[in-house]
Amino acid sequence: MAATWLKDTVFYEIYPQSFYDTNGDGIGDFNGIIEKLDYIKSLGCNALWINPCFDSPFADAGYDVRDYKKVAPRYGCNNDLYRLFGEAHKRGIKVLLDLVPGHTSEEHEWFRQSQKAEKNEYSNRYIWSDFCFQRTADLNYIGGESERSGTYALNFFKCQPALNYGFLNPEEPWQLPIDHPDCIATREAIKDVMRFWLDHGCDGFRVDMAGSLVKHDDEKQTGTSAVWLDIRKMLDEEYPEAAMVAEWSRPSIALRAGYDMDFYLNHPGNGYSTLMRDYFVNDKEKEDNSFFKKDSDGDINRFLDEYVKWYEDTKDIGYISMLTCNHDTNRPRYTLEPDELKIAYAFIFTMPGVPFLYYGDEIGMRYLELPTKEGGYYRTGSRTPMQWNKGKNLGFSEGCKDSLYLPVDEAEDAPTVEEQEKDKDSLLNVVKELLNLRHREEDLQADADFKVLCAEKNAPFVYKRGSLTIAVNPSDKEKTAALTVKGEKIYSLGNAEIGEDKLTLSSQSFVVIR
Ligand code: NOJ
């Protein structure tokens, strides 16, 4: 079962490069996160996920780890991160670090050792074929770069050799089974990294590419699941309140493999993508059929058809995490206006499970068209500096403009925290209200039941959370559901009229009824 503190938790994802720079070098740092903890708390977020902040050549924004136990000097030193854990805990905020177990940087010492011709402790830490021209079609292999005769498998970009957790169905002599001592050694090495950070005060991990550790796995990913169940056993015995959220997006598998939470990620055509990103990526001239686009006349069933099956199958074992966005996805503001975002977030923050808010989405930061940075490619546009106020570099950094990690949004009307704090109708204040409401009402938190009451195309979408009834109408037309709902409104955006046997919602509105 999931860590108990997740019952009433809302996460805030921080891309540390771009959050707050306190030493004027143009890049965010741990001290910056510490200075903004009160802001994060004021939003109603009580947990953080910090993207990889470890020593790295940053060919993939830190997802290419060179030393798992040392933080990247550009963010501060290990002690600064330990202090961040302490300061967060003082405010009731938990902290998840980003664990990248599937690969390291090609500059990691383990990999350097494994490239050597002479056999050593690390020779099998990565997946190596046994001859310089040998490779198989199912994985990408690199040859010609090492003293050792063999090619090594990649897990993602060229800079990210795959760690060796073994093959469920080995087909070549050099493909090791998952219980081979060298594959177990890889697993133990990752446990050792986890213990290191948990002992220093972190509360768990967001786990990168959690579903692909074991190669030649079966459809049910039993090999990878076995590895995670073994890691979970260690957590249960030594750190029972440590939480893990998977980048897997197959909750029926991930939550049975020992995860507390699994992200419902944006994959083109899946249920989640139909909510806020139903357009051809990077071409917003194309038609946007997203449910939360006011003129799309969208259909919530495209989401529900997938979600409800997953929810029913997993509700007693763990949580599906809905998110506003993450560092890999176009910001929702790419096509949605702030009024549309208010309704979308109202929905996301009243769903079961544990929601995640991506930094800057609370003010509707834009997706910027930018050249690639640190292997970001199209993702770079969602990773720009946080917009705190109208001052220099929008309050992100005192450094000179040219030194900034990425440029800030230069639009006249670039949204900022300071301005939105003063405007009671701002997106920021709506986010605060929604998160407050979620913390006040147990029925809006992770565990209360979810049930669809009305998902008809021309009516508002109406659902139950525990004893509360919630209705959403993202469209620009008034909509009525033929339903008898008794009770009083406890929160609304726009107008909702509770009739005898009908519920009418004005255009772009949302209501919670008790
Ligand atoms: C998923 C991460 O979210 C992404 O940013 C990264 O590039 C890949 N995994 C590889 O680690």
Side-chain angles (χ1 to χ4, degrees), residues 37 41 46 82-96 198 200-204:
L37 286 171
K41 184 84 191 170
N46 50 6
Y82 307 153
R83 196 161 67 82
L84 165 56
F85 297 148
E87 291 295 325
H89 292 160
K90 270 190 217 160
R91 294 165 174 83
I93 297 174
K94 305 274 189 184
V95 184
L96 298 192
L198 290 164
H200 281 102
C202 95
D203 299 287

Side-chain angles (χ1 to χ4, degrees), residues 127 134-141 153-155 167-172 174-175 214-217:
I127 298 171
Q134 162 113 64
R135 52 191 81 223
T136 55
D138 55 331
L139 295 171
N140 292 318
Y141 288 84
L154 299 179
N155 214 36
F167 287 68
L168 186 68
N169 299 298
E171 280 163 11
E172 303 283 344
W174 46 269
Q175 296 177 343
V214 169
K215 309 305 181 198
H216 289 183
D217 216 347

Side-chain angles (χ1 to χ4, degrees), residues 474-494:
S475 85
D476 53 7
K477 299 176 208 70
E478 180 180 280
K479 288 195 172 180
T480 298
L483 275 180
T484 309
V485 179
K486 298 237 179 320
E488 289 196 0
K489 297 187 230 178
I490 59 167
Y491 182 75
S492 62
L493 296 166

Side-chain angles (χ1 to χ4, degrees), residues 33-183:
I33 300 177
I34 294 172
E35 281 192 32
K36 296 296 183 184
L37 286 171
D38 289 328
Y39 164 75
I40 293 164
K41 184 84 191 170
S42 79
L43 289 173
C45 291
N46 50 6
L48 304 179
W49 154 28
I50 305 174
N51 289 112
C53 51
F54 313 106
D55 180 45
S56 166
F58 290 100
D60 184 15
Y63 283 96
D64 46 330
V65 179
R66 186 164 48 199
D67 183 341
Y68 283 108
K69 295 186 181 174
K70 182 175 166 227
V71 303
R74 68 191 202 179
Y75 303 128
C77 60
N78 277 27
N79 281 331
D80 294 325
L81 181 55
Y82 307 153
R83 196 161 67 82
L84 165 56
F85 297 148
E87 291 295 325
H89 292 160
K90 270 190 217 160
R91 294 165 174 83
I93 297 174
K94 305 274 189 184
V95 184
L96 298 192
L97 294 180
D98 210 318
L99 181 73
V100 189
H103 51 262
T104 64
S105 158
E106 59 194 339
E107 293 184 18
H108 194 293
E109 188 52 29
W110 296 344
F111 187 65
R112 293 294 182 227
Q113 292 298 324
S114 87
Q115 286 182 296
K116 293 190 173 157
E118 199 174 314
K119 198 158 167 37
N120 62 60
E121 188 188 340
Y122 300 100
S123 299
N124 282 331
R125 180 59 51 92
Y126 298 81
I127 298 171
W128 284 91
S129 73
D130 55 8
F131 180 57
C132 59
F133 303 140
Q134 162 113 64
R135 52 191 81 223
T136 55
D138 55 331
L139 295 171
N140 292 318
Y141 288 84
I142 299 289
E145 290 198 343
S146 311
E147 186 189 319
R148 167 179 184 168
S149 175
T151 60
Y152 60 89
L154 299 179
N155 214 36
F156 199 66
F157 286 148
K158 152 69 182 64
C159 60
Q160 291 154 318
L163 282 162
N164 193 2
Y165 293 86
F167 287 68
L168 186 68
N169 299 298
E171 280 163 11
E172 303 283 344
W174 46 269
Q175 296 177 343
L176 306 180
I178 62 175
D179 56 359
H180 186 281
D182 292 343
C183 299

Side-chain angles (χ1 to χ4, degrees), residues 13 15 49 51-52 60-64 98 100 103 155-157 160 206-209 247 265 326-328 374-376 379 383:
E13 179 191 344
Y15 187 74
W49 154 28
N51 289 112
D60 184 15
Y63 283 96
D64 46 330
D98 210 318
V100 189
H103 51 262
N155 214 36
F156 199 66
F157 286 148
Q160 291 154 318
R206 173 270 186 188
V207 180
D208 189 66
M209 295 176 68
E247 187 199 29
L265 294 172
N326 70 18
H327 62 289
D328 292 331
E374 297 189 343
R379 306 174 295 182
R383 300 176 174 183

